[in-house]
Amino acid sequence: QSALAQPASVSGSPGQSITISCTGTNSDIGGYNYVSWYQQHPGKAPKLVIYEVSNRPSGVSNRFSGSKSGNAASLTISGLQAEDEADYYCTSYTTSSTYLFGTGTKVTVL
Amino acid sequence: QVQLQESGPGLVKPSQTLSLTCTVSGASILSGDYYWIWIRQHPGQGLEWVGYVYNSGSAYYNPSLRSRLTLSVDTSKNQFSLRVTSVTAADTAMYYCARVPIGSGSGRYFDLWGRGTLVTVSS
């Protein structure tokens, strides 16, 4: 199984919006609305920021939003803040009852 | 609140068996509709799912690890466990346990994570 494709890095200035893409196939992203996104700061466990494509867990800033079109999903962070600097991973449940993670994107706040 | 905590040896010799346990605290492992997943992260690398286990003991494994992997649940101890046989340096990683809601319509995401435990395979 190949990992979901994400850009290695994305950067933006404080206050700007950035979007991270996540590309899969019709056996994973395209198969279900089971895409989730995780934020990971250095030395910390990942944290759920988006689930089921576009839902935010309680306590996650509304600056985080998600969407999906066909076999690709995306995470948008609006009003970028210094605390958003982290690695971000998408994941999808697949039609084989397995999981695929994205390759990971390092977000840098300039 | 509900918490997950991984435990196990931090150092394992090549060809030996790696055993880790995740203890669920703050709630019964049987409460709610969840299954339990292991995820690992090689040093400086991305995330990789290892396998997941239902409270019934049924388990699904990453095909790349299936031949060496066993997952189990001990409801009396509120724990679930991972066992990897014949380890090599390639199994050196941070291992995380996490919880997956599986109620009707639930999207198979990982809503609660442990802090992780680093396992190094070395002689």
Side-chain angles (χ1 to χ4, degrees):
Chain A
Q1 291 180 310
S2 299
L4 304 173
Q6 295 182 234
S9 62
V10 173
S11 62
S13 299
Q16 287 186 331
S17 293
I18 61 168
T19 296
I20 302 168
S21 60
C22 174
T23 304
T25 69
N26 54 18
S27 294
D28 37 74
I29 293 178
Y32 300 107
N33 286 330
Y34 289 172
V35 177
S36 51
W37 290 88
Y38 302 85
Q39 174 193 63
Q40 186 179 33
H41 286 109
K44 300 293 187 182
K47 171 191 171 185
L48 177 69
V49 294
I50 292 289
Y51 66 97
E52 293 170 2
V53 176
S54 59
N55 294 319
R56 266 190 321 276
S58 174
V60 171
S61 171
N62 59 10
R63 297 184 299 102
F64 290 86
S65 61
S67 64
K68 187 188 99 166
S69 178
N71 296 335
S74 60
L75 173 71
T76 297
I77 309 174
S78 58
L80 200 61
Q81 299 181 1
E83 67 206 48
D84 300 331
E85 187 160 293
D87 293 326
Y88 291 83
Y89 294 92
C90 60
T91 191
S92 178
Y93 188 67
T94 78
T95 55
S96 301
S97 301
T98 62
Y99 286 91
L100 278 179
F101 277 101
T103 49
T105 298
K106 182 177 180 60
V107 169
T108 301
V109 181
L110 301 171
Chain B
Q1 74 276 28
V2 184
Q3 292 184 321
L4 305 181
Q5 177 67 60
E6 304 88 351
S7 59
L11 181 64
V12 182
K13 288 182 167 49
S15 80
Q16 293 192 340
T17 296
L18 180 170
S19 295
L20 297 176
T21 295
C22 183
T23 300
V24 180
S25 61
S28 168
I29 197 170
L30 294 173
S31 64
D33 290 331
Y34 301 104
Y35 61 60
W36 310 92
I37 193 166
W38 289 95
I39 293 161
R40 70 182 185 179
Q41 186 170 34
H42 296 103
Q45 303 290 316
L47 300 167
E48 176 186 35
W49 84 283
V50 174
Y52 59 90
V53 62
Y54 288 83
N55 288 337
S56 64
S58 297
Y60 284 77
Y61 301 129
N62 186 318
S64 69
L65 296 168
R66 180 176 291 132
S67 63
R68 299 189 296 126
L69 183 60
T70 302
L71 301 187
S72 60
V73 175
D74 187 336
T75 55
S76 68
K77 294 182 179 179
N78 235 33
Q79 296 175 334
F80 59 103
S81 299
L82 167 152
R83 187 168 173 268
V84 183
T85 60
S86 305
V87 297
T88 70
D91 294 307
T92 293
M94 180 72 79
Y95 286 78
Y96 296 101
C97 61
R99 186 180 74 176
V100 184
I102 55 169
S104 177
S106 178
R108 303 297 190 265
Y109 50 92
F110 320 129
D111 70 339
L112 183 66
W113 294 66
R115 290 188 173 185
T117 187
L118 179 63
V119 176
T120 302
V121 178
S122 175
S123 56

